[in-house]
Amino acid sequence: MTSQENSHRHVTFTRMIAVSSLMGLIVLGLAWELWLAPLRPGGTLLALKVLPLCFPLTGLLKNRMYTYRWLSLLIWLYFTEGVVRAWGDAPPSNYLAMVEILLCLTLFAGCALHVRLRLKHANEAT
């Protein structure tokens, strides 16, 4: 296997990590606020917090480098929410917040590695 094929596999793997963790955050946010541990019985409008996460999903699926870059900054808002709610909420909400933290860190790592590998691959190609 050549270095270029290996690099392409790593880029594809980081893309898969980023897309799956973003989709996980969307599903977690909806399930958390509507069924698993809503602030009020029956769900709340806090479920709308996942709406901003739906916009970068299109860019990730189309493999747009710019989306990976700005998403790696946006995700820190969700990380902060996870930290605050993990510290201050009662179970099971605090456990869901810990999952949110893990997904945010995974998404950030996936985006950062994806951008780094694609730039490295582009520099090697020129």
Side-chain angles (χ1 to χ4, degrees), residues 5-87:
E5 290 172 347
N6 196 23
S7 177
H8 180 67
R9 285 183 38 196
H10 288 123
V11 168
T12 303
F13 180 69
T14 56
R15 179 178 182 223
M16 183 183 68
I17 289 173
V19 170
S20 59
S21 57
L22 179 60
M23 290 176 67
L25 274 170
I26 292 169
V27 170
L28 174 69
L30 288 173
W32 182 357
E33 301 301 341
L34 295 176
W35 302 290
L36 298 176
L39 292 175
R40 290 187 207 105
T44 63
L45 287 178
L46 198 53
L48 293 176
K49 72 181 181 185
V50 301
L51 191 59
L53 293 174
C54 295
F55 297 118
L57 185 59
T58 304
L60 293 189
L61 293 174
K62 291 182 179 181
N63 208 19
R64 293 187 175 148
M65 176 85 89
Y66 184 72
T67 304
Y68 286 92
R69 289 178 171 171
W70 68 261
L71 179 58
S72 67
L73 299 174
L74 172 71
I75 201 60
W76 291 111
L77 296 172
Y78 292 88
F79 174 82
T80 304
E81 181 214 13
V83 169
V84 169
R85 292 188 73 178
W87 185 265

